Amino acid sequence: MSVPASPAAVRTSSPGVSPNAVPHQPGPGLPGTRRALSVMAATAEAVPVLRRFARDTVRQWNLDDRADEALAVVVTELVANVVRHSGSPDVAVLLTAADRTVTVRVHDSGRWRPRRTRLPGDDLDACCGRGLDLVRAYATDCAVVRTALGTRVTVTLATDAAPSDADYSGADSGAGCSFG
């Protein structure tokens, strides 16, 4: 995966924190836009590390506590999807804050494995399979783009994001994710 960051902007960090985190980069062209990027191996360990990266970043940007919670849920679900389903060797999380929104972009370089069809006897109340429903509950906008180079999911959240009163069992709620 190619990540547009200059090596000089990559900071070294303590163990357990992504060595490829680029904090608080100003966005091009828009005053007041802030960006932070972290790239890690797509392993189970990446999920809590990237969630912490997102939470630490939003706190440093002094955003609303509800944005902190929303970002934690969204990053956890999207990174977990990459780890479980993409086969990608890496995962990138880019956070962008501008005006009253935070945009989360999660990118992988894998190929999504087809979802297994439910079989008789499968637990229909199982906790898996509801990740995008949780993301939709917080999102004002959501898009999933799959290409030969991987998948990119972009989710926009209001900085005062709170989940809707959605039924997380699969009802269409929030903005929904468009697939391209």
Side-chain angles (χ1 to χ4, degrees):
M1 168 189 298
S2 172
V3 178
S6 79
V10 175
R11 69 177 170 158
T12 57
S13 54
S14 59
V17 177
S18 169
N20 296 319
V22 181
H24 320 300
Q25 298 297 311
L30 296 175
T33 299
R34 295 167 285 184
R35 291 178 180 216
L37 171 69
S38 186
V39 180
M40 292 189 64
T43 64
E45 292 78 21
V47 178
V49 172
L50 290 171
R51 176 178 50 242
R52 188 171 44 254
F53 161 74
R55 294 189 97 161
D56 290 349
T57 300
V58 83
R59 286 180 187 137
Q60 289 177 1
W61 289 346
N62 295 317
L63 300 181
D64 188 280
D65 286 343
R66 290 184 292 180
D68 177 358
E69 177 187 338
L71 213 49
V73 170
V74 169
V75 168
T76 297
E77 293 299 330
L78 296 179
V79 173
N81 280 347
V82 170
V83 170
R84 286 184 192 124
H85 305 296
S86 77
S88 178
D90 47 29
V91 58
V93 175
L94 173 65
L95 307 174
T96 305
D99 296 325
R100 295 185 174 129
T101 63
V102 176
T103 301
V104 179
R105 179 171 285 167
V106 176
H107 187 268
D108 69 68
S109 58
R111 296 220 182 236
W112 287 82
R113 301 174 192 132
R115 191 174 201 179
R116 181 179 69 83
T117 333
R118 289 194 186 263
L119 301 172
D122 280 351
D123 183 1
L124 298 179
D125 294 325
C127 65
C128 296
R130 297 191 181 137
L132 281 180
D133 291 330
L134 288 171
V135 169
R136 286 183 195 113
Y138 285 101
T140 59
D141 188 40
C142 179
V144 178
V145 177
R146 293 183 182 146
T147 70
L149 300 176
T151 301
R152 182 181 65 244
V153 181
T154 305
V155 177
T156 303
L157 308 165
T159 54
D160 61 352
S164 67
D165 293 330
D167 171 10
Y168 297 124
S169 65
D172 190 17
S173 58
C177 285
S178 60
F179 291 85

